[in-house]
């Protein structure tokens, strides 16, 4: 009897894991397709030798931000705007060396703000300006966002949600 219970439990656990994996794959597929489309568009404007990472940014407009290496071996960021209604897609390319690093952005944010914990630091776009978005929790547990320019860390704006 004990062997039957163990066998049935194992079948249910395996079934649950398989079902969960399938659900994850199905829900993540549209994001993978958008990332692949962004890389395809970017490679039409820039010769890429390697794509390191792709992050999604949603502000007033949505972007896929690609961390890549061009054919000259230079580290670059590429902002690819997501807009299916337009034929001319906005693509911005910057060398890593043209802007601040994430570590430098964190230093600026910590020196300017009262931060309890940083949730994320990612690249985005405000208007036509490449920016860093710092997502953090402040000292009174408010989820907050701080925006700095990619090039020199100039303050853009700051949002805080009520606690």
């Amino acid at each position: 009897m004990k062997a039957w219970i163990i066998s049935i439990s194992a079948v249910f656990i395996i079934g649950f894991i398989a079902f969960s994996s399938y659900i994850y794959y199905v829900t993540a597929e549209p994001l993978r397709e958008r990332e692949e489309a962004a890389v395809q568009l970017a490679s039409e404007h820039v010769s890429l030798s390697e794509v390191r990472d792709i992050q999604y940014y949603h502000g007033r407009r949505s972007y896929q931000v690609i961390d890549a290496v061009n054919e000259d071996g230079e580290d670059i960021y590429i902002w690819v705007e997501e807009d299916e209604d337009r034929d001319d897609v906005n693509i911005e390319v910057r060398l890593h060396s043209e802007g601040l690093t994430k570590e430098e952005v964190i230093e600026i944010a910590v020196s300017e703000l009262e931060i309890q914990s940083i949730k994320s630091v990612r690249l985005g776009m405000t208007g036509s300006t490449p920016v860093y978005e710092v997502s953090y929790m402040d000292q009174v547990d408010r989820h907050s966002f701080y925006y700095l320019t990619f090039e020199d860390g100039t303050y853009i704006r700051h949002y805080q949600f009520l606690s």
Side-chain angles (χ1 to χ4, degrees):
M1 185 68 171
K2 190 176 185 181
W4 279 98
I5 294 172
I6 292 173
S7 298
I8 291 171
S9 297
V11 167
F12 278 119
I13 290 171
I14 291 170
F16 177 76
I17 291 171
F19 180 72
S20 299
S21 298
Y22 172 75
I23 293 296
Y24 175 77
Y25 178 79
V26 167
T27 55
E29 184 63 24
L31 180 58
R32 280 192 296 275
E33 289 174 0
R34 289 172 28 204
E35 289 175 349
E36 289 171 8
V39 170
Q40 179 64 34
L41 280 170
S43 63
E44 292 173 8
H45 291 80
V46 179
S47 296
L48 301 176
S49 64
E50 178 186 356
V51 173
R52 291 191 188 124
D53 188 31
I54 304 171
Q55 291 189 343
Y56 177 72
Y57 172 81
H58 182 72
R60 289 197 173 131
R61 296 184 310 230
S62 298
Y63 287 85
Q64 295 288 343
V65 182
I66 303 168
D67 182 3
V69 178
N70 66 15
E71 66 180 3
D72 297 329
E74 299 169 314
D75 296 328
I76 59 173
Y77 292 118
I78 308 166
W79 289 260
V80 180
E81 183 179 5
E82 289 190 335
D83 192 348
E84 297 171 3
D85 298 333
R86 288 180 37 194
D87 291 333
D88 59 327
V89 177
N90 183 22
I91 296 177
E92 294 287 332
V93 180
R94 299 282 194 283
L95 295 171
H96 282 208
S97 60
E98 290 180 43
L100 300 174
T101 65
K102 286 185 180 183
E103 292 76 19
E104 291 169 325
V105 169
I106 290 170
E107 286 178 23
I108 292 170
V110 167
S111 70
E112 296 290 323
L113 306 166
E114 294 181 8
I115 295 177
Q116 180 180 342
S117 64
I118 293 179
K119 300 295 183 189
S120 67
V121 177
R122 63 183 177 166
L123 288 166
M125 185 75 70
T126 299
S128 60
T129 305
V131 298
Y132 273 105
E133 175 190 73
V134 180
S135 171
Y136 69 96
M137 297 298 286
D138 69 8
Q139 296 297 329
V140 291
D141 288 332
R142 290 182 297 200
H143 192 182
S144 305
F145 296 91
Y146 187 62
Y147 295 87
L148 305 165
T149 60
F150 167 73
E151 284 83 14
D152 59 7
T154 302
Y155 170 82
I156 301 264
R157 73 174 134 234
H158 191 200
Y159 296 112
Q160 294 178 314
F161 295 108
L162 298 176
S163 55

